[in-house]
Amino acid sequence: MQLGVCYYPEQWPAEGWAEDARRMRELGIAWVRIGEFAWSEIEPEPGRLEWGWLDRAIATLHGEGLKVVLGTPTATPPKWLVDAHPEILAVDEHGRPRGFGSRRHYCFASPVYRELSARIVTVMAQRYGQHPAVAAWQTDNEYGCHDTVLSYSPAARLGFRRWLAQRYGSVEALNAAWGTVFWSQRYRHFDEVDAPVGTVTEANPAHRLDYRRYCSDEVVAYNRMQVAILRAQSPGRPIAHNYMGFFTEFDHHAVARDLDIASWDSYPLGFTQDRAGLADDEKRRWLRTGHPDIPAFHHDLYRGMNGGRWWVMEQQPGPVNWAPWNPAPADGMVRLWTWQAFAHGAEVVSYFRWRQAPFAQEQMHAGLNRPDRALDQGGREAAQVAQELQQIATKTHLRGLRVQAPVALLFDYASHWIGQIQPQGADYSVIHECFRAYGALRGLGLDVDVLPPDADLAGHALIVLPALLHADDALAARLAAGTAQIVVGPRGGSKTAQLSIPDTLPPGPLAALLGLKVTRVESLPPGIVEPAAGLAQPLPLMRWRERVEPAGAVAEACYADGEPALLRHGRARYLAGCPDVDGWRAVFERAAADAGLSTQRLPDALRVSRVGSLTVACNLADEPQTWQPTGAAGALLGGPTIPPHGVAVWQTAPAG
Ligand code: GAL
C-alpha cells in the first residue's frame, strides 16, 4: 500500500524540481509517474533527442528516493510528426481525419505510426531501461480515450480486410456468418468489404461486431509492440497501462495478457455525473462523494486482469475539468477513495496530479497542490493517508494483501458490444446492468471479483452473469460441472459469437443449466415497471421482459399475469426481466443464502471490504454511521462510529 503522484516536470521551471521532489517525499509519496505526454520535449525536431532535461528530472526524483513510473509518450505525436506523416491520424466515421492540438490523434492501425512509436519507445527504453530510479513503465496513456479506438482510416480498412480473411478463410464463410443474404449484402471478395459506417440505416450487426473486434485487436497489437521493446530493454520492471472508468471500447482482458499490472484512472465525481447511467436524483445524492460503488466496481474489474496486481494510476484529487459539471469532493473523500482502493487490493494509489497547471486545457483541474504551489485539500488528505499507513504498518504488515471474494460477477467486452450494436431498448447497457447487480452485491456486504468468462471460478460460492449476452459452450460446461450457486440475468446466452439468435433460442448454451427457453422478448420505456411477486421483497422489473418456457425450471417469482419472472433450476437461477439494484439484492439474498454466504443489508452510503487480514469500512454519508465487524477487537484506524466521509480499519484475522 503505497502512494504515488503524476508529475510533469516539463511543465514547470527546472529550478523548482528539487523542491517538488523533496515535498513529495516529505508528504509520503513513493512513486512518481512522468513522461507520458512529453514527446515534443524529448524530440523537438525529427531525430534531435533532448534527453538532458529528462535525465535531470529523473535524477532529481531519484535523489529523494522516489521511484519513477516512466510513461511512453505515444499518446501525443508531435506536430512535426503529424505534418510529415498525416496518414497516421485517426479518421472519424464521416471520413474526417482527427486534428492536431489535443492528444490521442493517432490511428492504432497505422503501420507508419507503429514504426514511429516503436522508435521513440526503443530510444527511451534504451536510455532509461536500466536506470535505478525507473521501477515501472506505463505504455502510452488511456488507450481509446476521447473516442479513439474506432478509426476509419485507409490503413484500418486494409487491416480489417486482412483480419477478416484470417478469421473466415473464405468470403463464403464470411457471407454465411454475417447473413449477407439479407438485403443483398453478399460480398465476392474480402477486398469489397468496407468499415460499417456511412450506411443509410444500420449496418449489418455482425459486420459491426467484427469491426469492434478488429479495432480492439489493433489496440492489443499496438500495446504488445511497446511491451516487447520495454521487456527487451528494461527487464524486470513491471509494465502497466492506465485504463479508464466505464470504458469498453477495446477488450481490456486481451490487452492485460501482455502486461504485469492493471492500473486505472479513478475520477468518481466525474463518472457519477456522466458515465454510470444514473438517474438525476442519484447524481444529486452523490454529487460530492461520487457513487460509492463506482470506484469499487472498477477496482474489482481491474483486479481481475493481472492475477490481482493492480494500481490506481490517477486518483481524483479535487474538482476535475471535463464533466458537464465539476463539483468539489467533500472534505475527506480523497482520503476515503484512497483507503477504498487499498481495501480492494490496490498496490499503489497515485494522484493526478502534483500541482494544478495554470495554463492550457486542464487549468481548471485540481492537483494535490494549487498553482501557487501551496498544498491543497487533496494534498492534505494524501499526507494524512501516508501517516495512517505508517502508523498501521507498525501494528500489522501491509504487503501483498489479497482479496478473497466469494462472489464472481462475469463481464465481457464482446457482450457489451453486442448490447450496444443491438440494444433493442434505448437505455439497455451491459456494463450498466452489471454495475447495478454489482451494487446490489456490495449492498449486502459481499466482496466481489469482476471476471471474464474464461477466468478460474473454482473459489467462488456464487457466480453472477448479469448480462453475458454471449456465453460459449465451454463456460456452460464449467458452470454445470461446478458447485457454485449461479444467477443469470435476462439476455444471458441470447446471441452467438456472430451476433445471431442461437438455433435453439436463448439462453443458447446455458439452456440445460437453466432448464428453460426464452420464446419472446420485449423492451420497455422508462417509467414502465412490471412487478413480480413471490420473494419476501417485491421484485420490480423494468426495461426488459421475457416470456420463458420452463423445461425443468420452477418459478420462484411471477409477473402479475402469472408468467415466470425468476426461475430456479437446481443451483441456477434466471431472471426474465431487468431489475433495479433493490430487485437484484432480493434475488442475491436468496442465492447467497443457498451458497452458504452470510449477508447484511448495508445503508447505501456504507461499504465494507476485506483485504488480507483487514476489514475496511467507508462512510460516504454526511452524518456519522455505526458499524463494526462481528467479533472485532480494537480498530487499527477509527472505530465503530465512523465520521462523515470517514474510514475505519480493523484487523479481523491474524496477519498472514
Ligand atoms: C485522464 C488522463 C490525464 C488527465 C486526467 C484529467 O483521463 O489520463 O492525462 O487528462 O484524465 O482528469
Side-chain angles (χ1 to χ4, degrees):
M1 292 183 184
Q2 293 187 312
L3 299 183
V5 76
C6 304
Y7 183 51
Y8 301 92
E10 70 276 22
Q11 297 176 7
W12 305 99
E15 306 81 72
W17 296 349
E19 190 197 332
D20 284 341
R22 179 181 52 75
R23 288 182 54 222
M24 287 175 193
R25 178 185 48 73
E26 285 170 3
L27 191 139
I29 299 281
W31 291 87
V32 186
R33 185 194 65 176
I34 61 171
E36 81 277 10
F37 299 121
W39 194 337
S40 72
E41 301 305 304
I42 295 170
E43 191 179 16
E45 309 223 25
R48 178 157 72 80
L49 293 161
E50 293 279 353
W51 296 118
W53 70 271
L54 190 50
D55 290 352
R56 284 191 294 279
I58 293 177
T60 306
L61 297 169
H62 188 43
E64 294 292 345
L66 298 160
K67 290 177 279 189
V68 169
V69 182
L70 195 52
T72 65
T74 47
T76 45
K79 181 72 167 112
W80 58 257
L81 187 153
V82 171
D83 286 348
H85 305 282
E87 71 275 25
I88 67 122
L89 293 173
V91 173
D92 75 9
E93 62 192 295
H94 307 292
R96 291 178 306 224
R98 311 211 52 181
F100 177 83
S102 65
R103 60 179 174 182
R104 298 223 57 81
H105 33 288
Y106 70 84
C107 173
F108 285 98
S110 162
V112 174
Y113 194 60
R114 219 140 314 153
E115 211 181 296
L116 294 165
S117 303
R119 193 185 51 86
I120 190 73
V121 174
T122 303
V123 291
M124 201 166 176
Q126 281 170 342
R127 186 151 191 107
Y128 301 112
Q130 311 287 330
H131 194 293
V134 175
W137 289 89
Q138 174 185 296
T139 54
D140 201 285
N141 189 78
E142 292 192 338
Y143 289 136
C145 187
H146 317 304
D147 207 6
T148 52
V149 170
L150 297 179
S151 165
Y152 306 96
S153 67
R157 185 168 56 222
L158 289 179
F160 184 44
R161 290 172 181 167
R162 275 196 300 273
W163 185 93
L164 290 171
Q166 207 167 23
R167 182 175 178 88
Y168 292 105
S170 73
V171 78
E172 292 74 32
L174 176 146
N175 281 311
W178 288 8
T180 57
V181 62
F182 191 80
W183 286 354
S184 238
Q185 298 169 65
R186 186 174 300 285
Y187 295 102
R188 295 169 306 153
H189 314 287
F190 287 111
D191 287 349
E192 291 181 335
V193 184
D194 285 320
V197 282
T199 51
V200 171
T201 183
E202 63 173 296
N204 180 303
H207 185 178
R208 291 171 69 191
L209 180 60
D210 273 344
Y211 203 72
R212 303 291 296 262
R213 288 192 175 115
Y214 157 70
C215 289
S216 175
D217 283 359
E218 291 288 16
V219 178
V220 174
Y222 181 81
N223 181 65
R224 184 171 294 158
M225 168 276 290
Q226 295 208 7
V227 168
I229 296 166
L230 297 175
R231 293 223 187 280
Q233 305 293 339
S234 189
R237 270 87 167 167
I239 308 173
H241 176 73
N242 56 334
Y243 307 113
M244 288 175 276
F246 292 111
F247 188 82
T248 50
E249 296 294 286
F250 62 88
D251 183 344
H252 293 49
H253 293 117
V255 168
R257 274 179 217 122
D258 293 315
L259 297 169
D260 306 302
I261 296 172
S263 77
W264 82 285
D265 299 342
S266 181
Y267 294 94
L269 299 195
F271 298 156
T272 297
Q273 291 306 311
D274 84 342
R275 301 226 187 131
L278 298 176
D280 285 344
D281 58 335
E282 286 194 279
K283 291 184 190 177
R284 281 192 290 273
R285 164 111 172 76
W286 306 112
L287 185 78
R288 291 205 168 80
T289 59
H291 188 291
D293 299 320
I294 289 178
F297 176 71
H298 294 91
H299 297 338
D300 292 350
L301 169 68
Y302 293 125
R303 193 181 62 240
M305 300 217 170
N306 283 97
R309 287 205 72 181
W310 75 276
W311 296 16
V312 173
M313 192 63 89
E314 298 180 13
Q315 172 62 61
Q316 174 166 2
V320 302
N321 63 307
W322 46 260
W325 286 272
N326 296 290
D331 285 358
M333 285 310 300
V334 172
R335 168 180 176 249
L336 185 150
W337 290 325
T338 311
W339 271 109
Q340 185 185 24
F342 289 140
H344 286 253
E347 290 179 11
V348 174
V349 176
S350 162
Y351 302 94
F352 182 90
R353 47 186 280 154
W354 173 244
R355 184 183 306 112
Q356 179 172 355
F359 50 82
Q361 278 93 330
E362 293 182 343
Q363 56 185 274
M364 300 302 286
H365 193 299
L368 294 184
N369 293 277
R370 301 189 315 223
D372 67 358
R373 307 183 89 87
L375 200 63
D376 206 343
Q377 177 65 19
R380 285 189 285 277
E381 294 186 25
Q384 185 182 345
V385 175
Q387 280 163 14
E388 290 166 347
L389 285 171
Q390 246 182 13
Q391 257 169 36
I392 293 185
T394 61
K395 300 181 197 152
T396 187
H397 80 100
L398 296 177
R399 277 187 171 273
L401 303 187
R402 311 278 298 185
V403 174
Q404 302 278 341
V407 183
L409 185 154
L410 303 192
F411 168 75
D412 87 325
Y413 292 87
S415 285
H416 182 80
W417 301 337
I418 291 170
Q420 279 185 322
I421 292 167
Q422 266 191 357
Q424 183 71 359
D427 54 358
Y428 184 81
S429 154
V430 163
I431 197 161
H432 291 158
E433 295 298 336
C434 288
F435 176 63
R436 288 186 195 102
Y438 175 86
L441 292 161
R442 295 290 298 139
L444 289 169
L446 293 164
D447 295 311
V448 182
D449 284 324
V450 179
L451 294 171
D454 62 356
D456 178 5
L457 302 171
H460 297 94
L462 172 60
I463 302 171
V464 178
L465 291 63
L468 200 72
L469 272 48
H470 169 62
D472 62 15
D473 294 328
L475 174 66
R478 288 192 307 129
L479 292 176
T483 56
Q485 291 291 313
I486 296 159
V487 178
V488 179
R491 305 186 76 167
S494 63
K495 297 291 175 182
T496 66
Q498 282 315 122
L499 216 167
S500 301
I501 298 169
D503 289 341
T504 52
L505 297 188
L510 301 175
L513 177 77
L514 296 168
L516 57 87
K517 177 182 280 200
V518 177
T519 58
R520 194 180 68 183
V521 302
E522 58 176 338
S523 59
L524 303 167
I528 304 295
V529 176
E530 302 271 311
L535 304 184
Q537 325 283 330
L539 180 58
L541 298 168
M542 53 207 81
R543 296 188 292 286
W544 191 265
R545 181 176 165 171
E546 297 179 342
R547 176 173 292 174
V548 165
E549 235 174 61
V554 292
E556 287 192 322
C558 291
Y559 287 107
D561 60 9
E563 292 285 340
L566 174 67
L567 299 99
R568 178 172 187 186
H569 185 237
R571 290 179 289 112
R573 286 184 168 83
Y574 184 77
L575 261 164
C578 287
D580 59 4
V581 176
D582 291 340
W584 276 118
R585 194 161 47 187
V587 175
F588 291 147
E589 248 169 355
R590 287 206 153 193
D594 291 341
L597 300 173
S598 57
T599 57
Q600 180 184 11
R601 287 201 160 214
L602 296 171
D604 65 352
L606 182 72
R607 287 293 179 262
V608 180
S609 313
R610 281 140 288 250
V611 61
S613 60
L614 306 181
T615 298
V616 180
C618 296
N619 175 17
L620 284 89
D622 296 337
E623 57 283 332
Q625 297 199 78
T626 306
W627 187 88
Q628 67 178 323
T630 31
L636 295 170
L637 184 68
T641 303
I642 312 166
H645 315 129
V647 177
V649 181
W650 292 265
Q651 176 115 37
T652 40

